[in-house]
């Protein structure tokens, strides 16, 4: 039996898809190269913005055609949905896509084997599982191995912050932190099977408070120091952080741990205190700038990244200008920016002072032009420097590899296979906004 998984959305979904693949391998499935060859097609879905959620349903239409074509050849196809769209729209799925055989929320995909058995008995209905279970799915997943030179590792899930625009507290549930021991074991396994870099994931990763072996709650800084002891692990990152949960211990890690990469994604969302308040973000722009000052003191080389939302209800020209001011102050080396998208069930969706689409579009364009100018400037300043690059992706052409610098810049270079999934010193020779090219400096891979 063969499976095909298509992943939408964030890095947590990429991690979840890998774990779903682990479950399927465990029960005898192998990966199909295209959905046409798959007996089981799974979409791991994202609900964060309207566009992401709608894309799931439009792409599903194509899957139905594949199912029909396969039926003509007497081949059975099971179609499943996993992830945040299921959690948010469980009532809609059977109506909008009745050919979907099962739909599971992001917290219960460990039940996939039982559900597949059930489908064998009950064809023709959509089985839905959107429980917020008492048990943690992590305890029921098969052991995973490295996904290459760089692996994701989920340490925390869910969110208790309830930003007024965000669906995550409703789709991923309340905050849960995995026990320290389980995370360290998983990290050791990933390193033993080839990972040089681990990216710790959580919707609010720096509010991590996992139990140690004595039942004591430990923070992210404690966990980072434990992981830094693992032989063979060269790089650690963590994402995504909430500004008011960055504590002094964590800042000290950026001073002390060389393997903690000098790049931090710390979303501010808006530079206007009025908008931040309406978003229910628990910091002001001044708090945020003070935090960055402390981080830069701890590690002067740190490069910052952020998420921004433009056109949040009530955002005026002055509020938007405050966002541009923050960008000019922090000079982000990379950032993600979005137009505010109304999400049913969130408080901001029913705010009366919605911003019209045209203004959202104009603001997004202005913000992105500014963000890209800083990103390009940083990349251009990197030209001529030698940086360690972890090459873990193959490029389009033979011999071309793609990798990342400590600052998450994309680098492509022509190398031979021995450098794949290794860290190599590279001289950067050219830069655009999104990537750099480089050539290997004579020497050994690390
Ligand atoms: N509209 C637009 N952007 C959103 N984000 C979260 N919810 C919304 C929304 N309703 C953005 C935030 C968050 C990132 C993952 O997605 O910037 O940090
Ligand atoms: Fe999408 Fe957010 Fe869910 Fe990730 S957590 S899949 S970004 S809605």
């Amino acid at each position: 039996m063969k499976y095909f998984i298509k992943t939408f959305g964030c890095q947590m979904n990429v991690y979840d898809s890998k774990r779903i693949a682990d479950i399927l391998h465990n029960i005898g499935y192998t990966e199909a190269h295209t959905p046409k060859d798959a007996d089981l097609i799974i979409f791991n879905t994202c609900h964060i913005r309207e566009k992401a959620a709608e894309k799931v349903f439009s792409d599903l239409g194509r899957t139905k055609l594949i199912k029909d074509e396969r039926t003509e050849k007497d081949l059975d196809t099971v179609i499943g949905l996993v992830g945040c769209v299921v959690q948010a729209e469980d009532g809609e799925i059977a109506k909008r896509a009745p050919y979907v055989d099962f739909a599971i929320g992001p917290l219960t995909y460990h039940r996939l084997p039982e559900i597949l058995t059930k489908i064998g008995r009950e064809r023709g209905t959509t089985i839905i599982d959107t429980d917020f279970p008492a048990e943690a799915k992590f305890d029921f997943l098969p052991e995973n191995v490295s996904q290459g030179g760089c692996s994701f590792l989920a340490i925390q899930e869910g969110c208790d912050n309830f930003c007024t625009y965000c669906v995550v507290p409703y789709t991923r549930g309340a905050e849960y932190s995995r026990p320290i021991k389980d995370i360290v074991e998983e990290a050791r396994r990933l390193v033993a099977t080839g990972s040089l870099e681990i990216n710790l994931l959580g919707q609010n990763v720096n509010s991590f408070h996992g139990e140690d072996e004595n039942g004591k709650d430990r923070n992210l800084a404690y966990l980072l120091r434990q992981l830094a002891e693992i032989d063979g692990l060269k790089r650690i990152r963590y994402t995504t952080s909430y500004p008011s949960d960055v504590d002094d211990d964590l800042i000290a890690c950026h001073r002390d741990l060389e393997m903690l990469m000098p790049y931090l994604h710390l979303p501010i969302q808006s530079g206007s205190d009025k908008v931040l308040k309406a978003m229910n973000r628990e910091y002001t722009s001044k708090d945020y700038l003070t935090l960055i000052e402390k981080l830069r003191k701890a590690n002067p080389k740190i490069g910052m990244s952020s998420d921004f939302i433009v056109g949040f209800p009530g955002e005026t020209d002055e509020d938007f200008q405050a966002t541009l001011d923050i960008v000019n102050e922090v000079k982000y080396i990379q950032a993600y920016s979005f137009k505010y998208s109304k999400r049913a069930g969130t408080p901001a969706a029913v705010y009366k002072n919605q911003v019209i689409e045209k203004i959202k579009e104009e603001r997004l364009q202005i913000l992105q032009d500014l963000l890209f100018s800083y990103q390009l400037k940083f990349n251009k300043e990197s030209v001529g420097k030698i940086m360690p690059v972890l090459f873990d992706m193959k490029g389009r052409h033979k011999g071309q590899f793609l990798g990342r610098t400590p600052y998450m810049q994309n680098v492509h270079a022509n190398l031979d296979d021995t450098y794949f999934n290794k860290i190599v010193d590279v001289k950067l020779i050219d830069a655009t906004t999104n990537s750099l090219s480089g050539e290997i400096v004579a020497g050994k891979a690390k």
Side-chain angles (χ1 to χ4, degrees), residues 13-78:
N13 266 12
V14 175
Y15 176 83
D16 286 339
S17 291
K18 299 271 189 224
R19 301 307 302 259
I20 291 168
D22 293 336
I23 296 174
L24 294 172
H25 288 151
N26 217 29
I27 54 173
Y29 280 80
T30 53
E31 191 175 3
H33 294 297
T34 67
K36 284 187 181 158
D37 304 322
D39 307 283
L40 169 62
I41 301 174
I42 294 180
F43 276 20
N44 191 3
T45 62
C46 174
H47 198 251
I48 197 92
R49 283 168 292 274
E50 193 183 351
K51 243 191 190 166
E54 283 310 309
K55 177 127 182 43
V56 168
F57 286 106
S58 66
D59 286 10
L60 260 179
R62 249 170 275 152
T63 310
K64 164 80 169 85
L65 296 179
I66 293 176
K67 186 170 179 158
D68 291 344
E69 273 170 29
R70 285 176 52 93
T71 307
E72 275 171 28
K73 292 185 209 152
D74 251 359
L75 295 168
D76 190 23
T77 317
V78 170

Side-chain angles (χ1 to χ4, degrees), residues 427-442:
K427 180 160 186 200
L428 301 168
I429 49 179
D430 203 5
T432 64
T433 313
N434 292 318
S435 72
L436 292 120
S437 57
E439 53 195 29
I440 183 165
V441 176

Side-chain angles (χ1 to χ4, degrees), residues 48-49 165-166 267 269 307-309 338-341 343:
I48 197 92
R49 283 168 292 274
Y165 52 80
C166 188
Q269 311 295 356
D307 290 341
F308 295 92
I309 296 177
F338 313 99
K339 287 184 283 184
Y340 168 71
S341 168
R343 306 311 287 132

Side-chain angles (χ1 to χ4, degrees), residues 19 23 110-111 135-142:
R19 301 307 302 259
I23 296 174
H110 58 289
R111 297 178 183 160
E135 78 272 11
K137 69 183 173 206
F138 298 103
D139 296 341
F140 298 87
L141 299 175

